[in-house]
Amino acid sequence: MSRNPTAAAASRAADEVVRFDGVAMRYGRGPDVLKDVSFSLAPGSFHFITGPSGAGKSSLLKLVYLAAHPSRGRIHLFGHDLARAGPAARPKLRRRIGVVFPDLLLLEHLSAFDNAALPLRIAGHKPAEYRNDVAELLSWVGLGGRMDAMPPTLAGGERQRLAIARAVVNRPEILLADEPTGNVDHEMALRIFRLFVELNRLGTTVLIATHDQDLIARSGRPVLHLEHGRITHRAAQPTQPSLGLGLT
Amino acid sequence: MSEAPKTAEAFELTRWKPAPFLPERDGRDASLVFVVAVLCFLACLTAMGVIAADRAARGWTGQLTGEATVIVRPRGGETPDAAAARAAEALSGTAGVAEARALEPAKAYDLIRPWLGDVSDLEDLPVPRLVAVTLDPRHPADARRLDAALKAQSIDATVDDHSIWIKDIRKAGGRVRALGLGVFLLIAAAAAAVVAFATRAGLAARHDVVEVLHMTGAEDGYIARLFQVRFARVAGLAGLIGAIAAAVLGAALRLAGGGGGLTPALPVAWSDLIAVMPCPLIAAAVAAAAAHLTAVRLLKGMA
């Protein structure tokens, strides 16, 4: 006896962190920047999205971190159908997501420490509960001596690392990063990547949009390749031992 | 992640306190404070003006309602002065009359002299005598009762209880009040519009804060409250400045005008200065409401 297809889809979505079914997206009345995109991310998975500039990588991430609405199709996040999630549900979903925004979105009038601690404040934690963790995280990303520095005084790579620290500080269930290693040197890129891997090992699902083919190749993680708004192929590379990244 | 790193010591981690999400000072605040303070100053002046005008209208009405004038025409061989004296006596015994006094002929001549000029043989004219009646303020007699008392004594007289003037003055007082209230509401609406506009501009200028807070899971109400508190503070300060300025000007007018206030038409009293007291609170409340509504509307436009 066959199951109801809708119920089966809902059941599948409940087991997945992210599920896209035939999703399209456009800005205003412009052309579709994403066309019929379908994929899913299992809990604890680690994926890259790659593709040429304008392929739709950032738009796809925007849909996942709830900064945009699809024009067609259906998105499930943590088992919730976003079309049915009311405005009250969206902030709660956002708190479960860590995002490294393409333009970083640091608050220029707040110190590096305040910027990094921001998601924890929003989540309602008390300073005494998290300040040691924030300090340790900032030290880990190489900003231990710049905690009271204001973002305008930070170098490009430092700003990027601060944005990453803010994205991971509350140990999100899914981490989305748009070109997270774009402004850092190779050594720091590997260090940041190791942070993502460590978070992934702790159970965080990771989705990174990047052009860094070298990093992708050396990581051995699966890749969603976007071109002209469509996923042209999904390279399901098996997780493999370290290829110089220190990933074990 | 078990212990705080040594590098954090320079930062004085234990003394760290979360900084406000919105900058404490903004260069645009000064111009906003100035504009809202000016509007609050005008609103306070309007409020004090309305109160003073209301007092003036009540005063005039009170004076007119407390008095009546009786024009007495002598009959037969009776002299005008005798007729007036008899009318005053008749009215003095009437319920609702505190005092009735026949005016001296000279006073009656003084009243008609502006129309006739300085005529030497004014005494030869048949000028009616007047009786000034002061009514009992608690139970004043009406014109009908006074008329009945005079008729009972067969006195030919006309009672003027100033009802025509009272009606006009009451109407004028009502119009002054309505006009003042209208101007006050207009200024209050302008202040609210300025605050709403400034809030919108402030939100646009602080789009980065709104976006980051929104994307990290802050609820719309939480973000709106930040702007609500911020603009309520700014407008409250502006309201305080405007209110103090208006109170200082009101006090100066009171002092300049002496016991009668600025002019008999606009008698400013010390108690009128109390009218400015709610201004900072009202300005803050209007700003908070405008900021909240603007912020919520803008946030609803975000994904």
XYZ file of all heavy atoms in Angstrom, chain A residues 65-69 88 90-92 94-95 97 99 101 103-111 113-114 117-119 121-123 127 130-133 135-137 139 144-145 147-148 166 171 195, chain B residues 1-25 206-220 222-223 226 300-303:
760
model
N 18.990 31.484 4.580
C 19.016 32.272 5.827
C 17.866 33.285 5.915
O 17.906 34.240 6.687
C 20.382 32.881 6.131
C 20.996 33.888 5.198
C 20.530 35.188 5.098
C 22.114 33.546 4.444
C 21.150 36.129 4.280
C 22.737 34.473 3.610
C 22.256 35.760 3.539
O 22.874 36.685 2.721
N 16.850 33.043 5.155
C 15.568 33.765 5.280
C 15.690 35.267 5.014
O 14.989 36.072 5.632
C 14.946 33.552 6.668
C 14.768 32.109 7.129
C 14.304 32.067 8.570
C 13.788 31.381 6.254
N 16.575 35.605 4.078
C 16.680 37.022 3.699
C 15.890 37.294 2.426
O 15.832 38.433 1.973
C 18.137 37.401 3.489
N 15.304 36.261 1.863
C 14.523 36.426 0.631
C 13.456 35.333 0.579
O 13.523 34.343 1.325
C 15.435 36.337 -0.592
N 12.468 35.567 -0.281
C 11.397 34.581 -0.464
C 11.518 33.964 -1.853
O 11.870 34.664 -2.803
C 10.028 35.259 -0.350
C 9.736 35.798 1.016
N 9.433 34.997 2.084
C 9.718 37.068 1.501
C 9.224 35.748 3.162
N 9.401 37.011 2.832
N 6.186 35.271 13.089
C 6.664 35.041 14.456
C 7.656 33.888 14.510
O 8.520 33.840 15.401
C 5.480 34.760 15.375
N 9.873 33.043 12.120
C 11.116 33.275 11.378
C 12.290 33.697 12.283
O 13.400 33.177 12.112
C 10.886 34.282 10.243
C 9.895 33.727 9.200
C 9.492 34.763 8.178
N 10.465 34.941 7.134
C 10.547 34.206 6.030
N 9.697 33.210 5.837
N 11.466 34.435 5.129
N 12.092 34.618 13.254
C 13.247 34.945 14.121
C 13.798 33.734 14.856
O 15.008 33.590 15.004
C 12.672 35.978 15.101
C 11.529 36.585 14.380
C 10.939 35.468 13.560
N 12.903 32.847 15.285
C 13.360 31.652 16.020
C 14.188 30.751 15.097
O 15.184 30.163 15.519
C 12.157 30.901 16.570
C 11.450 31.637 17.699
C 10.340 30.807 18.300
C 9.631 31.567 19.420
N 8.790 32.661 18.907
N 15.888 31.822 12.495
C 17.149 32.530 12.195
C 18.186 32.322 13.298
O 19.390 32.293 13.037
C 16.900 34.031 12.030
C 16.229 34.392 10.725
C 16.251 35.905 10.498
N 15.540 36.246 9.277
C 14.308 36.743 9.226
N 13.651 36.976 10.330
N 13.734 37.005 8.074
N 17.712 32.177 14.543
C 18.658 32.000 15.655
C 19.357 30.647 15.584
O 20.348 30.431 16.284
C 17.929 32.118 17.000
C 17.532 33.528 17.304
C 16.840 33.639 18.625
N 15.974 34.795 18.641
C 15.058 35.039 19.566
N 14.879 34.184 20.538
N 14.308 36.118 19.501
N 20.583 29.577 12.814
C 21.444 29.660 11.635
C 22.600 30.616 11.916
O 22.409 31.685 12.486
C 20.645 30.223 10.422
C 19.373 29.411 10.202
C 21.493 30.245 9.167
C 18.414 30.060 9.205
N 25.492 32.836 9.915
C 25.736 33.305 8.549
C 26.992 34.171 8.498
O 27.155 35.086 9.308
C 24.545 34.145 8.013
C 24.744 34.465 6.543
C 23.222 33.428 8.234
N 28.013 36.729 6.107
C 27.419 37.466 4.986
C 28.496 37.882 3.982
O 29.651 38.117 4.371
C 26.704 38.723 5.513
C 25.574 38.421 6.454
C 25.741 38.506 7.830
C 24.336 38.033 5.964
C 24.712 38.223 8.702
C 23.283 37.752 6.845
C 23.478 37.840 8.208
N 28.926 40.665 2.498
C 29.504 41.975 2.834
C 29.743 42.096 4.341
O 29.821 43.189 4.875
C 28.617 43.104 2.305
C 27.137 42.822 2.516
O 26.837 41.788 3.151
O 26.293 43.612 2.083
N 29.819 40.970 5.008
C 30.168 40.816 6.432
C 29.141 41.398 7.403
O 28.833 40.784 8.396
C 31.546 41.403 6.723
C 32.693 40.848 5.851
C 34.026 41.450 6.303
C 32.745 39.343 5.880
N 28.603 42.603 7.097
C 27.575 43.231 7.948
C 28.020 43.350 9.404
O 27.291 42.962 10.317
C 26.258 42.450 7.874
C 25.462 42.547 6.583
C 24.168 41.751 6.690
C 25.134 43.992 6.241
N 29.218 43.892 9.596
C 29.661 44.178 10.971
C 29.083 45.522 11.385
O 28.913 46.409 10.549
C 31.190 44.232 11.014
C 31.908 42.934 10.646
C 33.402 43.175 10.559
C 31.599 41.819 11.636
N 28.789 45.665 12.645
C 28.283 46.955 13.142
C 29.482 47.824 13.519
O 30.226 47.512 14.455
C 27.348 46.748 14.335
C 26.069 45.969 13.991
C 25.164 45.868 15.212
C 25.327 46.621 12.841
N 29.640 48.895 12.764
C 30.866 49.703 12.835
C 31.016 50.435 14.171
O 32.120 50.818 14.533
C 30.878 50.739 11.702
C 30.662 50.131 10.316
C 31.876 49.352 9.824
O 32.965 49.923 9.846
O 31.709 48.181 9.428
N 29.916 50.660 14.885
C 30.011 51.409 16.141
C 30.165 50.490 17.356
O 30.205 50.974 18.481
C 28.777 52.292 16.326
C 27.498 51.522 16.416
N 26.885 50.968 15.328
C 26.741 51.182 17.483
C 25.803 50.344 15.718
N 25.687 50.448 17.025
N 30.216 49.188 17.095
C 30.413 48.245 18.202
C 31.810 47.648 18.118
O 32.349 47.465 17.019
C 29.379 47.113 18.135
C 27.906 47.469 18.326
C 27.064 46.196 18.310
C 27.696 48.203 19.646
N 32.375 47.338 19.283
C 33.709 46.732 19.297
C 33.649 45.335 18.682
O 32.572 44.756 18.496
C 34.207 46.618 20.738
O 33.409 45.679 21.436
N 34.453 42.672 20.103
C 33.869 41.773 21.108
C 32.342 41.858 21.069
O 31.652 40.839 21.056
C 34.385 42.140 22.497
C 34.125 41.068 23.521
C 35.075 40.100 23.795
C 32.922 41.018 24.208
C 34.822 39.113 24.733
C 32.666 40.034 25.140
C 33.623 39.073 25.408
N 31.818 43.085 21.009
C 30.358 43.262 20.972
C 29.769 42.685 19.690
O 28.676 42.113 19.710
C 30.005 44.746 21.084
C 29.989 45.223 22.526
O 29.162 44.715 23.290
O 30.810 46.063 22.881
N 29.689 38.928 20.063
C 28.731 38.460 21.085
C 27.276 38.705 20.690
O 26.362 38.223 21.361
C 29.026 39.167 22.407
N 27.071 39.415 19.598
C 25.710 39.868 19.239
C 24.657 38.740 19.175
O 23.581 38.881 19.773
C 25.784 40.631 17.916
C 24.551 41.415 17.509
C 24.966 42.730 16.863
C 23.712 40.625 16.523
N 24.939 37.609 18.487
C 23.883 36.567 18.427
C 23.499 36.027 19.807
O 22.349 35.651 20.025
C 24.519 35.473 17.564
C 25.568 36.171 16.773
C 26.108 37.243 17.669
N 23.556 37.767 22.618
C 22.688 38.784 23.254
C 21.268 38.685 22.719
O 20.289 38.766 23.461
C 23.235 40.187 22.978
C 24.422 40.546 23.806
C 24.956 41.914 23.438
N 24.053 42.996 23.791
C 24.286 44.271 23.495
N 25.384 44.599 22.832
N 23.449 45.201 23.871
N 21.176 38.541 21.394
C 19.855 38.451 20.770
C 19.100 37.231 21.308
O 17.893 37.267 21.516
C 19.980 38.341 19.233
C 20.590 39.617 18.656
C 18.634 38.039 18.574
C 19.738 40.830 18.769
N 19.862 36.152 21.528
C 19.229 34.907 22.016
C 18.849 35.015 23.491
O 18.248 34.087 24.041
C 20.168 33.733 21.789
N 25.613 38.230 29.823
C 27.037 38.408 29.513
C 27.952 37.469 30.287
O 28.914 36.934 29.730
C 27.295 39.868 29.881
C 25.987 40.535 29.722
C 24.957 39.510 30.095
N 28.584 34.086 28.691
C 29.250 33.848 27.409
C 30.541 34.626 27.181
O 31.242 34.380 26.222
C 28.269 34.131 26.258
C 27.725 35.537 26.180
C 28.511 36.604 25.761
C 26.389 35.805 26.488
C 28.000 37.888 25.679
C 25.864 37.092 26.414
C 26.681 38.119 26.004
O 26.179 39.386 25.912
N 30.873 35.559 28.048
C 32.007 36.417 27.682
C 33.324 35.647 27.567
O 34.139 35.960 26.708
C 32.121 37.596 28.640
C 32.299 37.269 30.077
C 32.243 38.547 30.895
N 32.264 38.241 32.308
C 31.874 39.084 33.249
N 31.438 40.278 32.915
N 31.938 38.747 34.507
N 33.531 34.611 28.421
C 34.771 33.837 28.295
C 34.813 33.077 26.980
O 35.850 32.998 26.329
C 34.908 32.864 29.467
C 35.310 33.588 30.739
O 35.774 34.733 30.679
N 35.118 32.950 31.876
N 33.669 32.529 26.570
C 33.613 31.781 25.307
C 33.876 32.702 24.124
O 34.567 32.331 23.173
C 32.235 31.116 25.145
C 32.066 29.932 26.084
O 33.095 29.477 26.629
O 30.924 29.477 26.273
N 35.561 35.511 24.148
C 36.971 35.896 24.173
C 37.839 34.769 23.611
O 38.761 35.002 22.826
C 37.392 36.226 25.597
N 37.516 33.539 23.992
C 38.304 32.409 23.518
C 38.154 32.224 22.016
O 39.130 31.974 21.300
C 37.851 31.135 24.247
C 38.746 29.959 23.964
C 38.341 28.712 24.734
O 37.376 28.802 25.538
O 38.962 27.671 24.521
N 36.923 32.399 21.536
C 36.688 32.255 20.098
C 37.453 33.329 19.313
O 38.075 33.048 18.279
C 35.183 32.344 19.812
C 34.774 32.292 18.352
C 35.165 30.975 17.700
C 33.263 32.498 18.215
N 40.118 34.854 20.212
C 41.536 34.506 20.235
C 41.834 33.420 19.217
O 42.843 33.444 18.521
C 41.941 34.015 21.629
O 41.787 35.059 22.554
N 42.515 37.947 19.378
C 42.615 38.064 20.830
C 43.100 39.424 21.282
O 42.688 39.920 22.325
N 43.971 40.021 20.496
C 44.496 41.332 20.874
C 43.695 42.498 20.313
O 44.056 43.653 20.523
N 40.144 42.736 20.616
C 38.752 42.572 21.062
C 38.031 43.899 21.230
O 36.825 43.980 21.017
C 38.710 41.817 22.385
C 39.116 40.365 22.233
S 38.712 39.468 23.711
C 39.915 38.188 23.663
N 38.751 44.918 21.647
C 38.084 46.217 21.828
C 38.239 47.125 20.612
O 37.874 48.293 20.667
C 38.593 46.919 23.087
C 40.099 47.044 23.107
O 40.748 46.487 22.199
O 40.635 47.687 24.024
N 31.373 35.733 14.716
C 29.980 36.055 15.047
C 29.025 34.958 14.526
O 28.044 34.616 15.188
C 29.592 37.399 14.431
C 28.195 37.861 14.833
C 27.805 39.143 14.153
N 27.758 38.975 12.712
C 27.634 39.964 11.845
N 27.579 41.207 12.256
N 27.600 39.731 10.552
N 27.100 28.398 18.190
C 27.064 27.009 17.703
C 25.762 26.716 16.967
O 24.901 25.946 17.426
C 27.250 26.038 18.848
C 28.638 26.192 19.454
C 28.943 25.082 20.426
N 30.263 25.291 21.001
C 30.754 24.600 22.006
N 30.022 23.664 22.552
N 31.953 24.834 22.457
N 38.050 25.399 11.532
C 36.995 25.789 12.491
C 35.641 25.276 12.006
O 34.853 24.724 12.790
C 36.958 27.312 12.645
C 35.798 27.888 13.466
C 35.874 27.416 14.919
C 35.812 29.406 13.415
N 37.744 25.133 24.470
C 37.130 26.371 24.956
C 36.886 26.292 26.464
O 35.800 26.456 26.970
C 35.810 26.619 24.226
C 35.966 26.903 22.756
S 34.443 27.484 22.023
C 34.982 27.727 20.322
N 37.970 25.960 27.205
C 37.792 25.742 28.627
C 38.159 26.944 29.468
O 37.605 27.172 30.519
C 38.622 24.530 29.055
O 39.965 24.743 28.687
N 39.157 27.735 29.027
C 39.537 28.894 29.833
C 39.766 30.101 28.941
O 40.118 29.974 27.772
C 40.795 28.584 30.633
C 41.978 28.199 29.752
C 43.211 27.887 30.562
O 43.259 28.271 31.728
O 44.116 27.268 30.019
N 39.604 31.273 29.512
C 39.783 32.499 28.742
C 41.256 32.688 28.418
O 42.119 32.393 29.241
C 39.267 33.688 29.540
N 41.571 33.118 27.240
C 42.968 33.279 26.859
C 43.614 34.470 27.567
O 42.948 35.388 28.010
C 42.882 33.519 25.356
C 41.527 34.087 25.153
C 40.654 33.488 26.187
N 44.947 34.427 27.617
C 45.670 35.496 28.299
C 45.502 36.833 27.567
O 45.524 37.880 28.167
C 47.146 35.132 28.374
C 47.417 34.040 29.381
C 48.876 33.665 29.403
C 49.119 32.523 30.383
N 50.504 32.043 30.335
N 45.341 36.757 26.256
C 45.236 37.986 25.471
C 44.019 38.807 25.858
O 43.964 39.988 25.611
C 45.153 37.659 23.975
O 44.230 36.599 23.809
C 46.489 37.316 23.413
N 43.049 38.150 26.474
C 41.826 38.856 26.840
C 42.052 39.792 28.028
O 41.255 40.666 28.280
C 40.734 37.852 27.184
N 43.200 39.575 28.754
C 43.415 40.382 29.953
C 43.511 41.877 29.635
O 43.026 42.714 30.373
C 44.674 39.906 30.669
C 44.466 38.562 31.370
C 45.761 37.997 31.905
O 46.783 38.710 31.916
O 45.741 36.818 32.300
N 44.159 42.182 28.486
C 44.306 43.588 28.109
C 42.943 44.224 27.856
O 42.761 45.411 28.037
C 45.177 43.689 26.871
N 42.011 43.437 27.458
C 40.665 43.903 27.131
C 39.824 44.115 28.393
O 38.781 44.760 28.348
C 40.028 42.847 26.208
C 38.592 43.101 25.877
C 38.211 44.260 25.228
C 37.614 42.176 26.216
C 36.884 44.492 24.911
C 36.292 42.398 25.903
C 35.929 43.558 25.247
N 40.277 43.592 29.522
C 39.544 43.671 30.788
C 38.170 43.047 30.632
O 37.147 43.729 30.718
C 39.436 45.114 31.281
C 40.797 45.694 31.660
C 40.657 47.000 32.422
O 40.287 46.962 33.602
O 40.921 48.053 31.827
N 38.234 41.777 30.372
C 37.021 41.003 30.087
C 35.983 41.086 31.202
O 34.787 41.193 30.937
C 37.435 39.547 29.857
C 36.387 38.592 29.325
C 35.877 39.073 27.980
C 36.976 37.201 29.213
N 36.454 41.077 32.416
C 35.508 41.063 33.542
C 34.730 42.377 33.649
O 33.671 42.429 34.252
C 36.241 40.818 34.878
O 37.318 41.748 34.947
C 36.764 39.395 34.968
N 35.318 43.439 33.072
C 34.627 44.736 33.146
C 33.751 44.996 31.932
O 33.081 46.030 31.865
C 35.647 45.868 33.256
C 36.373 45.877 34.569
C 37.180 47.155 34.703
N 37.860 47.203 35.985
C 38.591 48.218 36.387
N 38.747 49.269 35.598
N 39.171 48.199 37.553
N 33.792 44.086 30.997
C 33.038 44.319 29.752
C 31.530 44.347 30.019
O 31.005 43.518 30.769
C 33.348 43.224 28.734
C 32.493 43.329 27.511
C 32.638 44.190 26.474
C 31.337 42.536 27.221
N 31.657 43.999 25.533
C 30.830 43.001 25.977
C 30.658 41.513 27.880
C 29.705 42.449 25.379
C 29.543 40.974 27.284
C 29.079 41.444 26.049
N 30.883 45.332 29.422
C 29.424 45.391 29.465
C 28.932 45.559 28.042
O 29.556 46.290 27.257
C 28.966 46.587 30.304
C 29.100 46.351 31.789
C 28.579 47.536 32.564
C 28.760 47.298 34.060
N 28.427 48.486 34.833
N 27.824 44.916 27.708
C 27.331 45.045 26.321
C 27.058 46.505 25.960
O 26.438 47.240 26.730
C 26.031 44.234 26.332
C 26.129 43.343 27.520
C 26.963 44.058 28.525
N 27.553 46.907 24.810
C 27.317 48.282 24.324
C 25.919 48.358 23.725
O 25.388 47.350 23.247
C 28.356 48.637 23.282
N 25.306 49.555 23.749
C 23.969 49.664 23.130
C 24.032 49.400 21.631
O 25.007 49.775 20.979
C 23.561 51.108 23.419
C 24.806 51.819 23.794
C 25.761 50.811 24.332
N 22.997 48.761 21.126
C 22.971 48.421 19.694
C 22.918 49.671 18.823
O 23.412 49.666 17.705
C 21.776 47.514 19.375
C 21.988 46.089 19.793
C 21.012 45.403 20.503
C 23.157 45.424 19.488
C 21.196 44.090 20.893
C 23.366 44.111 19.883
C 22.383 43.450 20.589
N 22.280 50.708 19.333
C 22.247 51.963 18.574
C 23.283 52.898 19.160
O 23.418 52.959 20.390
C 20.857 52.612 18.663
C 19.749 51.887 17.905
C 18.402 52.529 18.212
C 19.991 51.909 16.416
N 24.011 53.622 18.333
C 25.004 54.552 18.870
C 24.346 55.529 19.834
O 23.230 56.003 19.567
C 25.515 55.287 17.623
C 25.110 54.450 16.475
C 23.911 53.679 16.878
N 25.048 55.800 20.950
C 24.446 56.692 21.955
C 24.277 58.107 21.430
O 23.370 58.818 21.793
C 25.307 56.692 23.221
C 25.114 55.414 24.006
C 25.897 55.405 25.293
O 27.002 55.972 25.318
O 25.405 54.814 26.268
N 25.211 58.512 20.572
C 25.118 59.867 20.004
C 25.122 59.774 18.495
O 25.801 58.954 17.911
C 26.290 60.721 20.468
C 26.207 61.027 21.937
C 27.293 61.986 22.356
N 27.182 62.267 23.783
C 27.969 63.102 24.418
N 28.937 63.724 23.787
N 27.808 63.320 25.707
N 20.438 53.699 9.933
C 20.882 52.570 10.752
C 20.370 51.257 10.181
O 20.043 50.331 10.924
C 20.386 52.760 12.194
C 21.146 53.800 12.934
C 22.558 53.335 13.213
N 23.456 54.448 13.401
C 24.760 54.404 13.148
N 25.298 53.305 12.686
N 25.523 55.436 13.356
N 20.305 51.228 8.881
C 19.832 50.004 8.223
C 20.731 48.825 8.557
O 20.279 47.688 8.648
C 19.762 50.230 6.713
C 19.006 49.170 5.991
N 19.630 48.097 5.408
C 17.683 48.998 5.807
C 18.701 47.310 4.872
N 17.516 47.835 5.103
N 22.041 49.130 8.759
C 22.979 48.053 9.089
C 22.590 47.375 10.393
O 22.565 46.143 10.484
C 24.409 48.602 9.169
C 24.545 49.775 10.150
O 23.512 50.387 10.494
O 25.684 50.049 10.585
N 22.231 48.191 11.388
C 21.845 47.629 12.691
C 20.568 46.806 12.538
O 20.485 45.669 13.023
C 21.616 48.751 13.733
C 21.175 48.175 15.067
C 22.877 49.581 13.902
N 19.599 47.401 11.836
C 18.317 46.714 11.650
C 18.537 45.376 10.932
O 18.020 44.333 11.354
C 17.339 47.594 10.840
C 16.032 46.852 10.577
C 17.047 48.891 11.585
N 19.350 45.410 9.886
C 19.556 44.205 9.082
C 20.273 43.108 9.879
O 19.859 41.944 9.864
C 20.364 44.568 7.825
C 20.408 43.448 6.816
C 21.076 43.874 5.522
O 21.642 44.982 5.458
O 21.032 43.081 4.571
N 21.344 43.514 10.584
C 22.100 42.517 11.353
C 21.235 41.924 12.468
O 21.190 40.698 12.641
C 23.389 43.146 11.943
C 24.051 42.192 12.930
C 24.361 43.494 10.830
N 20.529 42.778 13.186
C 19.676 42.275 14.270
C 18.571 41.380 13.709
O 18.267 40.324 14.262
C 19.057 43.428 15.059
C 20.030 44.340 15.819
C 19.268 45.415 16.576
C 20.883 43.534 16.779
N 17.996 41.819 12.589
C 16.928 41.050 11.954
C 17.451 39.671 11.519
O 16.814 38.650 11.780
C 16.442 41.849 10.743
C 15.287 41.238 10.014
N 14.029 41.167 10.559
C 15.197 40.682 8.786
C 13.218 40.578 9.692
N 13.898 40.285 8.617
N 18.653 39.678 10.927
C 19.191 38.425 10.387
C 19.720 37.491 11.474
O 19.878 36.295 11.239
C 20.319 38.737 9.390
C 19.824 39.251 8.070
S 18.691 38.057 7.346
C 17.743 39.106 6.305
N 20.030 38.050 12.637
C 20.513 37.171 13.702
C 19.375 36.721 14.623
O 19.617 36.134 15.673
C 21.627 37.856 14.536
O 21.241 39.186 14.811
C 22.936 37.856 13.805
N 18.151 37.020 14.226
C 17.011 36.445 14.932
C 16.307 37.359 15.906
O 15.488 36.893 16.703
N 16.634 38.662 15.880
C 15.902 39.581 16.763
C 14.481 39.738 16.250
O 14.264 39.826 15.043
C 16.600 40.933 16.804
N 13.535 39.757 17.170
C 12.143 39.934 16.763
C 11.876 41.392 16.418
O 12.566 42.289 16.915
C 11.213 39.459 17.872
C 11.047 37.945 17.815
C 10.789 37.291 19.149
O 10.592 38.022 20.128
O 10.800 36.057 19.196
N 10.880 41.590 15.564
C 10.570 42.956 15.104
C 10.301 43.885 16.281
O 10.749 45.031 16.297
C 9.346 42.937 14.175
C 9.686 42.332 12.821
O 10.856 41.938 12.635
O 8.795 42.247 11.958
N 11.464 43.741 19.255
C 12.725 44.044 19.951
C 13.457 45.175 19.225
O 13.936 46.135 19.858
C 13.581 42.775 19.971
C 14.927 42.915 20.639
C 15.074 42.703 22.002
C 16.061 43.245 19.896
C 16.309 42.813 22.613
C 17.298 43.360 20.492
C 17.423 43.141 21.848
O 18.646 43.256 22.450
N 13.541 45.066 17.896
C 14.238 46.100 17.109
C 13.458 47.408 17.199
O 14.044 48.479 17.387
C 14.385 45.648 15.641
C 15.189 44.347 15.575
C 15.071 46.733 14.810
C 15.216 43.687 14.219
N 14.095 49.352 20.337
C 15.360 50.092 20.384
C 15.160 51.504 19.849
O 15.604 52.488 20.447
C 16.423 49.390 19.521
C 16.937 48.038 19.985
C 17.894 47.483 18.939
C 17.647 48.158 21.316
N 8.350 45.122 8.496
C 7.449 44.195 7.797
C 7.805 44.091 6.325
O 7.489 43.104 5.662
C 6.000 44.662 7.959
C 5.389 44.163 9.250
C 3.935 44.474 9.360
C 3.391 43.932 10.683
N 2.074 44.450 10.991
N 8.445 45.148 5.806
C 8.874 45.130 4.403
C 10.084 44.244 4.170
O 10.420 43.924 3.029
N 10.749 43.845 5.275
C 11.920 42.967 5.115
C 11.458 41.515 5.094
O 10.400 41.180 5.592
C 12.899 43.192 6.271
C 13.453 44.609 6.314
S 14.540 44.903 7.727
C 16.061 44.231 7.091
N 12.308 40.659 4.524
C 11.918 39.241 4.369
C 11.757 38.573 5.720
O 12.453 38.895 6.651
C 12.969 38.516 3.561
